[in-house]
Amino acid sequence: MTTIPVLMGVVNVTPDSFSDGGRWLEPDAAIAHGRELLRDGADILDIGGESTRPGATRPLVEEELGRVVPVIAALAADGATVSVDTMRAEVAEAALAAGATIVNDVSGGLADPRILDVTAASDATYVAMHWRAHAAHMRDFAVYDGPGGVVQAVRDELAARVEAILAAGVPAERIVLDPGLGFAKRVEHNWALLRDLGPLESLGYPVLVGASRKTFLGRLLADSGGTVRPVDQREHANTALTVLLAQRGVWGLRVHDVRAARDALRVLERLDQGEQE
């Protein structure tokens, strides 16, 4: 029996995200998009005000707050389960006050250690992603030459983050881990992690995977001349990953096209039900 993963729908309230930068920058547009994702079957809405695409520059704290807090407040008031995608303690604190119940920190507490204290003081779930450097420099850190390569390195570095998270007072039952596809990872590193999530799962925490629309899929689907498949034409490949990762038992999937992912999961659910009238 397949355990159906939760779907975390992405709402980028940014001008420069790689997949849909600028489309949902205005609060009303972001709120409307979040509601659409809920109708499409999202379990969680992940609201982010800072682009983490390779090479991106960071917004001011005030900018990030202004982008995400009104959107979180409106969607949480609708009854949605809301996650804030941030590396900053100030933003996490304001987001939790506005109704978010999950802190999705792509830095795993390395960018701003106080975010762990903020989360511990709440009842929020904390998602810790594998991370080595900010977007402007992360390509310089995509080196995994030790024994076990990228899989072992991600496992060990996230295990160290878990120790810090627990020490800050976040209970074990509120920790989720993310291998960080595309973050200080080259194409081959992403595929290696997807092939072997076992070492990460062995830590005993739920695993969230975010592969949606990322460059390694675009390169897989490149045309005969080597032109990378555009961002908005990678969804079929991500749907295939949705099915495979669900069958492998991951806890959650972070996706842009919630409807496509939900449709794929419904097929799996129906197959598991066996014969029916």
Side-chain angles (χ1 to χ4, degrees), residues 18-54:
F18 80 95
S19 64
D20 51 13
R23 293 188 66 187
W24 324 117
L25 181 59
E26 295 302 318
D28 287 348
I31 292 164
H33 183 54
R35 289 170 176 162
E36 180 183 18
L37 294 180
L38 290 172
R39 289 192 295 271
D40 287 344
D43 300 296
I44 300 166
L45 297 177
D46 193 39
I47 317 299
E50 175 181 354
S51 172
T52 51
R53 63 176 174 79

Short mmCIF file of all heavy atoms in Angstrom, two decimals, residues 18-54:
data_model
loop_
_atom_site.label_atom_id
_atom_site.label_comp_id
_atom_site.label_asym_id
_atom_site.label_seq_id
_atom_site.Cartn_x
_atom_site.Cartn_y
_atom_site.Cartn_z
N PHE A 18 13.08 31.40 -10.29
CA PHE A 18 13.42 30.81 -11.58
C PHE A 18 12.20 30.30 -12.33
O PHE A 18 12.17 30.30 -13.56
CB PHE A 18 14.43 29.65 -11.38
CG PHE A 18 13.81 28.36 -10.94
CD1 PHE A 18 13.47 27.38 -11.86
CD2 PHE A 18 13.56 28.11 -9.59
CE1 PHE A 18 12.89 26.19 -11.46
CE2 PHE A 18 12.99 26.92 -9.18
CZ PHE A 18 12.65 25.95 -10.11
N SER A 19 11.17 29.87 -11.61
CA SER A 19 10.05 29.20 -12.28
C SER A 19 8.94 30.14 -12.69
O SER A 19 8.33 29.97 -13.74
CB SER A 19 9.46 28.12 -11.36
OG SER A 19 8.91 28.72 -10.21
N ASP A 20 8.66 31.15 -11.88
CA ASP A 20 7.50 32.01 -12.15
C ASP A 20 7.70 33.39 -11.55
O ASP A 20 6.75 34.02 -11.09
CB ASP A 20 6.22 31.38 -11.61
CG ASP A 20 6.35 30.96 -10.15
OD1 ASP A 20 7.34 31.36 -9.49
OD2 ASP A 20 5.48 30.23 -9.66
N GLY A 21 8.95 33.87 -11.54
CA GLY A 21 9.26 35.15 -10.91
C GLY A 21 8.41 36.30 -11.41
O GLY A 21 8.32 36.52 -12.62
N GLY A 22 7.76 36.99 -10.49
CA GLY A 22 6.97 38.15 -10.82
C GLY A 22 5.50 37.90 -11.02
O GLY A 22 4.68 38.81 -10.91
N ARG A 23 5.10 36.65 -11.31
CA ARG A 23 3.69 36.38 -11.60
C ARG A 23 2.81 36.60 -10.40
O ARG A 23 1.65 36.99 -10.52
CB ARG A 23 3.52 34.94 -12.11
CG ARG A 23 4.14 34.67 -13.46
CD ARG A 23 3.77 33.30 -13.97
NE ARG A 23 2.34 33.21 -14.27
CZ ARG A 23 1.74 32.07 -14.61
NH1 ARG A 23 2.45 30.94 -14.67
NH2 ARG A 23 0.45 32.04 -14.87
N TRP A 24 3.35 36.34 -9.20
CA TRP A 24 2.54 36.43 -7.98
C TRP A 24 3.13 37.44 -7.01
O TRP A 24 2.94 37.33 -5.81
CB TRP A 24 2.44 35.05 -7.31
CG TRP A 24 2.36 33.90 -8.26
CD1 TRP A 24 3.26 32.89 -8.38
CD2 TRP A 24 1.35 33.64 -9.24
NE1 TRP A 24 2.88 32.02 -9.37
CE2 TRP A 24 1.70 32.45 -9.91
CE3 TRP A 24 0.17 34.30 -9.60
CZ2 TRP A 24 0.93 31.91 -10.93
CZ3 TRP A 24 -0.59 33.76 -10.62
CH2 TRP A 24 -0.22 32.58 -11.27
N LEU A 25 3.83 38.44 -7.53
CA LEU A 25 4.50 39.40 -6.66
C LEU A 25 3.50 40.27 -5.89
O LEU A 25 3.72 40.58 -4.71
CB LEU A 25 5.45 40.28 -7.47
CG LEU A 25 6.24 41.34 -6.69
CD1 LEU A 25 7.10 40.69 -5.59
CD2 LEU A 25 7.12 42.14 -7.63
N GLU A 26 2.42 40.67 -6.53
CA GLU A 26 1.42 41.48 -5.84
C GLU A 26 0.61 40.60 -4.88
O GLU A 26 0.23 39.49 -5.24
CB GLU A 26 0.49 42.16 -6.85
CG GLU A 26 1.18 43.18 -7.73
CD GLU A 26 1.86 44.27 -6.92
OE1 GLU A 26 1.25 44.74 -5.94
OE2 GLU A 26 3.00 44.64 -7.25
N PRO A 27 0.35 41.08 -3.67
CA PRO A 27 -0.35 40.25 -2.67
C PRO A 27 -1.65 39.64 -3.18
O PRO A 27 -1.90 38.45 -2.95
CB PRO A 27 -0.59 41.21 -1.52
CG PRO A 27 0.52 42.21 -1.63
CD PRO A 27 0.75 42.38 -3.10
N ASP A 28 -2.47 40.43 -3.86
CA ASP A 28 -3.75 39.89 -4.33
C ASP A 28 -3.55 38.74 -5.30
O ASP A 28 -4.28 37.74 -5.26
CB ASP A 28 -4.58 41.00 -5.00
CG ASP A 28 -5.15 41.99 -3.99
OD1 ASP A 28 -5.10 41.69 -2.77
OD2 ASP A 28 -5.64 43.05 -4.42
N ALA A 29 -2.55 38.85 -6.17
CA ALA A 29 -2.26 37.79 -7.12
C ALA A 29 -1.75 36.54 -6.41
O ALA A 29 -2.14 35.41 -6.74
CB ALA A 29 -1.24 38.26 -8.15
N ALA A 30 -0.89 36.73 -5.41
CA ALA A 30 -0.36 35.59 -4.66
C ALA A 30 -1.45 34.90 -3.87
O ALA A 30 -1.50 33.66 -3.80
CB ALA A 30 0.75 36.07 -3.72
N ILE A 31 -2.34 35.66 -3.27
CA ILE A 31 -3.44 35.07 -2.51
C ILE A 31 -4.36 34.28 -3.43
O ILE A 31 -4.76 33.15 -3.12
CB ILE A 31 -4.22 36.18 -1.76
CG1 ILE A 31 -3.34 36.78 -0.67
CG2 ILE A 31 -5.52 35.63 -1.15
CD1 ILE A 31 -3.84 38.12 -0.13
N ALA A 32 -4.69 34.86 -4.58
CA ALA A 32 -5.54 34.16 -5.54
C ALA A 32 -4.87 32.88 -6.02
O ALA A 32 -5.53 31.84 -6.18
CB ALA A 32 -5.85 35.08 -6.72
N HIS A 33 -3.56 32.93 -6.25
CA HIS A 33 -2.84 31.73 -6.70
C HIS A 33 -2.85 30.66 -5.60
O HIS A 33 -3.04 29.47 -5.89
CB HIS A 33 -1.40 32.09 -7.07
CG HIS A 33 -0.62 30.94 -7.61
ND1 HIS A 33 -1.05 30.17 -8.66
CD2 HIS A 33 0.57 30.40 -7.21
CE1 HIS A 33 -0.16 29.22 -8.91
NE2 HIS A 33 0.82 29.34 -8.05
N GLY A 34 -2.64 31.08 -4.35
CA GLY A 34 -2.70 30.13 -3.25
C GLY A 34 -4.05 29.44 -3.17
O GLY A 34 -4.14 28.21 -2.97
N ARG A 35 -5.11 30.19 -3.34
CA ARG A 35 -6.45 29.60 -3.31
C ARG A 35 -6.67 28.63 -4.47
O ARG A 35 -7.32 27.59 -4.32
CB ARG A 35 -7.50 30.71 -3.32
CG ARG A 35 -7.54 31.49 -2.01
CD ARG A 35 -8.39 32.75 -2.08
NE ARG A 35 -8.46 33.40 -0.76
CZ ARG A 35 -8.82 34.67 -0.58
NH1 ARG A 35 -9.15 35.43 -1.63
NH2 ARG A 35 -8.86 35.18 0.64
N GLU A 36 -6.10 28.98 -5.62
CA GLU A 36 -6.19 28.07 -6.77
C GLU A 36 -5.46 26.75 -6.48
O GLU A 36 -5.97 25.66 -6.79
CB GLU A 36 -5.60 28.74 -8.00
CG GLU A 36 -5.63 27.87 -9.25
CD GLU A 36 -4.97 28.52 -10.44
OE1 GLU A 36 -4.19 29.47 -10.26
OE2 GLU A 36 -5.22 28.06 -11.57
N LEU A 37 -4.28 26.84 -5.86
CA LEU A 37 -3.53 25.63 -5.52
C LEU A 37 -4.29 24.76 -4.52
O LEU A 37 -4.26 23.53 -4.60
CB LEU A 37 -2.16 26.00 -4.96
CG LEU A 37 -1.18 26.68 -5.92
CD1 LEU A 37 0.13 26.99 -5.21
CD2 LEU A 37 -0.94 25.83 -7.16
N LEU A 38 -5.00 25.39 -3.59
CA LEU A 38 -5.83 24.63 -2.65
C LEU A 38 -6.94 23.89 -3.39
O LEU A 38 -7.21 22.71 -3.11
CB LEU A 38 -6.43 25.56 -1.60
CG LEU A 38 -5.45 26.14 -0.58
CD1 LEU A 38 -6.17 27.19 0.27
CD2 LEU A 38 -4.87 25.05 0.31
N ARG A 39 -7.57 24.55 -4.34
CA ARG A 39 -8.62 23.90 -5.12
C ARG A 39 -8.06 22.73 -5.93
O ARG A 39 -8.74 21.73 -6.16
CB ARG A 39 -9.30 24.90 -6.06
CG ARG A 39 -10.17 25.92 -5.34
CD ARG A 39 -11.04 26.69 -6.32
NE ARG A 39 -10.26 27.52 -7.23
CZ ARG A 39 -9.90 28.78 -6.98
NH1 ARG A 39 -10.23 29.35 -5.83
NH2 ARG A 39 -9.20 29.47 -7.86
N ASP A 40 -6.81 22.87 -6.35
CA ASP A 40 -6.17 21.81 -7.14
C ASP A 40 -5.71 20.64 -6.27
O ASP A 40 -5.29 19.61 -6.82
CB ASP A 40 -4.97 22.38 -7.89
CG ASP A 40 -5.37 23.25 -9.07
OD1 ASP A 40 -6.54 23.17 -9.49
OD2 ASP A 40 -4.51 24.01 -9.56
N GLY A 41 -5.75 20.79 -4.95
CA GLY A 41 -5.42 19.67 -4.08
C GLY A 41 -4.20 19.82 -3.22
O GLY A 41 -3.70 18.84 -2.66
N ALA A 42 -3.68 21.05 -3.05
CA ALA A 42 -2.52 21.25 -2.17
C ALA A 42 -2.91 20.99 -0.72
O ALA A 42 -3.99 21.38 -0.27
CB ALA A 42 -1.99 22.67 -2.32
N ASP A 43 -2.02 20.34 0.01
CA ASP A 43 -2.21 20.14 1.46
C ASP A 43 -1.60 21.29 2.25
O ASP A 43 -2.08 21.62 3.34
CB ASP A 43 -1.54 18.82 1.89
CG ASP A 43 -2.11 17.62 1.18
OD1 ASP A 43 -3.30 17.34 1.38
OD2 ASP A 43 -1.37 16.98 0.41
N ILE A 44 -0.53 21.86 1.71
CA ILE A 44 0.22 22.94 2.35
C ILE A 44 0.52 23.99 1.29
O ILE A 44 0.78 23.65 0.13
CB ILE A 44 1.55 22.42 2.94
CG1 ILE A 44 1.31 21.32 3.97
CG2 ILE A 44 2.39 23.55 3.54
CD1 ILE A 44 2.56 20.53 4.33
N LEU A 45 0.49 25.26 1.68
CA LEU A 45 0.94 26.33 0.80
C LEU A 45 2.25 26.88 1.34
O LEU A 45 2.33 27.28 2.49
CB LEU A 45 -0.11 27.45 0.74
CG LEU A 45 -1.47 27.06 0.16
CD1 LEU A 45 -2.42 28.24 0.24
CD2 LEU A 45 -1.34 26.57 -1.29
N ASP A 46 3.28 26.88 0.49
CA ASP A 46 4.61 27.33 0.89
C ASP A 46 4.84 28.73 0.33
O ASP A 46 5.02 28.90 -0.88
CB ASP A 46 5.67 26.36 0.37
CG ASP A 46 7.03 26.58 1.00
OD1 ASP A 46 7.08 26.87 2.21
OD2 ASP A 46 8.04 26.45 0.28
N ILE A 47 4.83 29.73 1.20
CA ILE A 47 4.90 31.13 0.78
C ILE A 47 6.32 31.65 0.98
O ILE A 47 6.84 31.65 2.10
CB ILE A 47 3.93 32.01 1.60
CG1 ILE A 47 2.57 31.32 1.77
CG2 ILE A 47 3.81 33.39 0.98
CD1 ILE A 47 1.84 31.04 0.49
N GLY A 48 6.95 32.09 -0.11
CA GLY A 48 8.32 32.57 -0.02
C GLY A 48 8.51 33.93 -0.64
O GLY A 48 7.95 34.21 -1.70
N GLY A 49 9.31 34.77 0.00
CA GLY A 49 9.57 36.11 -0.49
C GLY A 49 11.00 36.37 -0.88
O GLY A 49 11.39 37.52 -1.12
N GLU A 50 11.80 35.31 -0.96
CA GLU A 50 13.21 35.44 -1.38
C GLU A 50 13.52 34.37 -2.40
O GLU A 50 13.37 33.18 -2.13
CB GLU A 50 14.16 35.29 -0.19
CG GLU A 50 15.62 35.32 -0.61
CD GLU A 50 16.62 35.16 0.54
OE1 GLU A 50 16.18 35.14 1.71
OE2 GLU A 50 17.82 35.05 0.26
N SER A 51 13.96 34.78 -3.58
CA SER A 51 14.37 33.83 -4.59
C SER A 51 15.67 33.16 -4.17
O SER A 51 16.61 33.82 -3.72
CB SER A 51 14.57 34.51 -5.94
OG SER A 51 15.13 33.60 -6.87
N THR A 52 15.73 31.84 -4.34
CA THR A 52 16.96 31.11 -4.05
C THR A 52 17.52 30.46 -5.31
O THR A 52 18.30 29.52 -5.22
CB THR A 52 16.71 30.05 -2.96
OG1 THR A 52 15.57 29.25 -3.32
CG2 THR A 52 16.47 30.70 -1.61
N ARG A 53 17.14 30.97 -6.47
CA ARG A 53 17.73 30.47 -7.71
C ARG A 53 19.22 30.77 -7.71
O ARG A 53 19.67 31.72 -7.07
CB ARG A 53 17.06 31.13 -8.92
CG ARG A 53 17.27 32.61 -8.99
CD ARG A 53 16.70 33.25 -10.24
NE ARG A 53 16.82 34.70 -10.18
CZ ARG A 53 17.93 35.37 -10.44
NH1 ARG A 53 19.04 34.72 -10.76
NH2 ARG A 53 17.96 36.69 -10.34
N PRO A 54 20.02 29.96 -8.40
CA PRO A 54 21.46 30.22 -8.44
C PRO A 54 21.78 31.64 -8.89
O PRO A 54 21.24 32.12 -9.90
CB PRO A 54 21.97 29.19 -9.45
CG PRO A 54 20.99 28.07 -9.37
CD PRO A 54 19.67 28.73 -9.13
#
